[in-house]
């Protein structure tokens, strides 16, 4: 890691176990300060009241954030029945109540209709932009927020626990799904109301709890004798985010062309019929994200990991 005026040139992924009560942007700022990193960003916002996996990209890893954002996410969450809030979680004010409580059998019978491709109206307190403004800013200002329904993918939705007033679920979703909206809509469909009272994200793409580290542990490492070295060992390689796309190895001469922004013609066995995104390596090192189009490799993102 080389020190520059505005921080260290660090590249890699940190799998943070975000605590409850901390906003995602605050968590990124804290980690950037701990690592003294020049550049950092996150893949997939977690609400302040939620805990769990928040992948943080440093340096060149920020170029791979979209691939993580598009990955599947797994959530474990608790829904309390009988109350719907304007935020669909415990932060908001109650807007509707019901004395009805769903049975375990009724919940299990409902779940299939919430799996697969479903239409979902995002919570009015969400980061979606309306005419250039965040929906949650408009909602906090007392404005009526109307968001259009959109198609999301729920790959899995399972009931883990069920009591009279609460139930615990695990969901595996695609991009753009809101667990708070799932709780709201399930409550309505069950003839009651519901809101999220606990939420934890256990996986984002290939990043799981097994790789996660807490802010407290990072702070301890920062202050320890190992300092910079031990913190560096917490980072996963940039290419970790690209595990789900094909990889293609090229020669050093071809790498030089790509690094100069020039396409490379694929010949023979190196000319796959595949069309689309690939991660490109040379000598075992990641050098670019590229698109294969009509037998040619076109660079889209160049990596400078030799400086990291």
């Amino acid at each position: 890691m080389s020190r520059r005026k505005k921080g260290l040139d660090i590249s890699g992924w940190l799998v943070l176990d975000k605590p409850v009560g901390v906003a995602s942007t605050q968590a990124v700022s804290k980690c950037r300060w701990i690592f003294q990193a020049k550049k950092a960003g996150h893949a997939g916002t977690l609400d302040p009241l939620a805990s769990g996996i928040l992948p943080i990209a440093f340096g060149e890893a920020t170029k791979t954030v979209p691939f993580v954002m598009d990955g599947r996410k797994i959530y474990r969450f608790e829904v309390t029945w009988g109350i719907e809030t304007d935020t669909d979680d415990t932060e908001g004010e109650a807007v509707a109540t019901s004395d009805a409580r769903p049975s375990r059998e009724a919940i299990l019978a409902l779940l299939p209709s919430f799996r697969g491709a479903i239409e979902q109206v995002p919570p009015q307190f969400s980061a979606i932009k309306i005419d250039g403004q965040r929906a949650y800013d408009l909602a906090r200002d007392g404005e009526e927020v109307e968001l259009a329904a959109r198609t999301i993918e729920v790959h899995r939705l399972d009931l883990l626990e069920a009591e009279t007033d609460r139930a615990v679920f695990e969901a595996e979703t695609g991009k753009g799904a809101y667990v708070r909206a799932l709780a709201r809509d399930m409550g309505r469909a069950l003839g009651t109301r519901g809101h999220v009272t606990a939420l934890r994200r256990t996986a984002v793409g290939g990043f799981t709890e097994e790789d996660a580290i807490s802010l407290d542990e990072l702070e301890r490492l920062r202050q320890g004798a190992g300092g910079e070295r031990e913190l560096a060992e917490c980072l996963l390689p940039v290419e970790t985010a690209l595990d789900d796309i094909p990889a293609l190895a090229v020669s050093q001469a071809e790498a030089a062309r790509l690094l100069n922004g020039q396409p490379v013609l694929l010949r023979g066995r190196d000319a796959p019929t595949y069309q689309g995104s690939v991660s490109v390596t040379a000598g075992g090192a990641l050098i670019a994200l590229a698109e294969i189009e009509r037998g040619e490799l076109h660079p889209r993102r160049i990596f400078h990991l030799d400086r990291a």
Side-chain angles (χ1 to χ4, degrees), residues 9 14 34 70 72 87 104 120 149 194 221 231 237 265 282 284-285 288:
D9 271 323
L14 176 71
I34 288 173
D70 289 344
R72 295 188 181 190
T87 59
R104 182 185 185 90
Q120 184 184 78
L221 292 176
L231 285 173
L265 181 64

Side-chain angles (χ1 to χ4, degrees), residues 107-120:
I107 296 171
L108 289 172
L110 176 74
L111 292 184
S113 63
F114 278 84
R115 297 179 184 130
I118 65 171
E119 293 295 300
Q120 184 184 78

